[in-house]
Amino acid sequence: MQIFMWWLDLDLKSKEWLRENLRAGDVPLFVMQGIAEAGGPHPDTPQAVLTEAEWDFIETQSEFVD
């Protein structure tokens, strides 16, 4: 599922972590669980790390006023 389809449902704590740690190689489990609960990739799937396109979205399209 594309990031714009699950980003709005992602909890604020996870969004803040992603924005503050842009393009981090290791994403904490609580963030990955939040992403999975919002409809994004599950921590056990091959795409457990966010793609470049998803990081680009977080950097340029996500709003800080959630």
Side-chain angles (χ1 to χ4, degrees), residues 3-66:
I3 188 171
F4 62 85
M5 297 179 77
W6 55 261
W7 181 260
L8 292 176
D9 295 326
L10 185 60
D11 64 280
L12 187 57
K13 185 176 178 182
S14 295
K15 287 180 182 180
E16 289 174 346
W17 190 94
L18 290 167
R19 289 179 181 130
E20 292 170 2
N21 298 279
L22 202 58
R23 301 186 194 283
D26 290 326
V27 178
L29 184 57
F30 84 90
V31 176
M32 290 307 300
Q33 287 174 330
I35 291 171
E37 290 171 8
H42 192 272
D44 295 332
T45 63
Q47 187 205 350
V49 178
L50 297 173
T51 66
E52 280 299 310
E54 290 168 331
W55 284 119
D56 289 345
F57 176 90
I58 294 166
E59 182 176 22
T60 61
Q61 301 296 319
S62 69
E63 296 181 13
F64 285 87
V65 183
D66 287 314

